[in-house]
Amino acid sequence: MMDWVAWHLAYRDPESALSRRLECVGEHLAKAIDDAPAGQVSLVSLCAGQGHDVLGVLPGHRRRDDVRALLVEFDASNAGLARRGAQEAGLAQVQVREADAGAVANYADCLPADVLLLCGIFGNISDAEIERVARAAPAMCAPGATVIWTRHRRAPDLTPQIRAWLAEGGFDEVAFDALDTETLTGVGVHRLSRPATAKLPDGPLFTFRVKAASALTGIGVLAAAAAEPTRRRAK
């Protein structure tokens, strides 16, 4: 099995592609929280890994006390580290749930979200599953919600199609950042501008294809990204 905890060590290098992606996601996440309506902000992060994106933004954010965050992560060690990180940062409103993010039932109680993170997922599931997630996203989101997602841009580049699927579902594109000429990382940001007509699908949204984790469905955002920069995982 892949050592997903050791994989996270790449974040210690500020020049790594993962660190640059994390910085970009963090900037968009901070703005999404800023732009959310007054009052409580529901944040859901799927395949959250050790939660570096959320835990990197919330402690110093002016609206930290408004945010109620759920981090969904399958890997027990990474979930434990995310939980410890939230506790050490004094973020009692951050819940880490050790569960399969590919099964909507595992976090449906926290939907719809005002901010939905889909980072490090799309490089490790099939094209059909990416479409399934993109088309289900409106049903997972509150009106005006922001979705932040990542995907590599290597040929055949699927990011234009992902952007189109989200647009068809009622999302306006806020930003699309093309990072790194070597890893060809893409970070997308979309805001739900029309009432959702989609419904949450029955059955799993996705199953990770990474062979080293073939028995694990929906394993962490950071963990999944490990496969992207090398042969091709919001964290």
Side-chain angles (χ1 to χ4, degrees):
M1 296 295 293
M2 172 75 76
D3 186 343
W4 296 116
V5 175
W7 179 88
H8 284 70
L9 295 176
Y11 287 105
R12 297 183 180 180
D13 177 6
E15 300 302 318
S16 71
L18 289 178
S19 289
R20 291 192 291 271
R21 189 183 77 173
L22 176 63
E23 180 180 7
C24 182
V25 169
E27 290 173 354
H28 287 302
L29 175 57
K31 189 174 189 310
I33 296 171
D34 268 330
D35 293 344
Q40 184 171 305
V41 179
S42 172
L43 187 159
V44 175
S45 175
L46 302 186
C47 297
Q50 295 176 10
H52 289 306
D53 44 15
V54 175
L55 300 182
V57 168
L58 274 190
H61 199 282
R62 68 179 184 87
R63 297 191 64 186
R64 59 172 281 167
D65 293 335
D66 291 340
V67 177
R68 298 294 179 270
L70 175 67
L71 278 56
V72 185
E73 169 57 37
F74 188 94
D75 182 78
S77 295
N78 281 329
L81 288 167
R83 193 173 292 113
R84 187 176 74 183
Q87 292 171 348
E88 291 176 349
L91 297 171
Q93 72 273 38
V94 174
Q95 176 187 1
V96 180
R97 187 172 295 176
E98 185 183 327
D100 176 5
V104 179
N106 286 334
Y107 46 90
D109 58 311
C110 293
L111 300 176
D114 297 303
V115 181
L116 178 65
L117 296 181
L118 302 172
C119 300
I121 299 174
F122 290 164
N124 297 280
I125 63 179
S126 70
D127 291 0
E129 289 172 319
I130 294 173
E131 180 178 4
R132 184 174 174 83
V133 174
R135 294 197 183 281
M140 293 191 280
C141 290
T146 299
V147 172
I148 303 174
W149 57 276
T150 63
R151 160 77 184 197
H152 66 79
R153 295 177 286 112
R154 290 195 304 277
D157 183 2
L158 194 66
T159 59
Q161 185 60 68
I162 296 171
R163 296 157 76 181
W165 285 328
L166 289 170
E168 290 170 9
F171 287 93
D172 291 337
E173 185 168 280
V174 176
F176 182 78
D177 296 327
L179 309 176
D180 300 310
T181 57
E182 182 178 348
T183 61
L184 297 176
T185 303
V187 177
V189 184
H190 288 70
R191 183 166 295 134
L192 187 62
S193 60
R194 301 197 304 271
T197 57
K199 296 184 181 300
L200 291 176
D202 296 325
L205 278 174
F206 57 83
T207 301
F208 267 64
R209 296 180 301 176
V210 181
K211 290 183 179 180
S214 59
L216 306 182
T217 306
I219 202 168
V221 92
L222 297 177
E228 280 199 54
T230 52
R231 65 180 172 78
R232 34 164 172 84
R233 199 129 268 268
K235 278 192 173 191

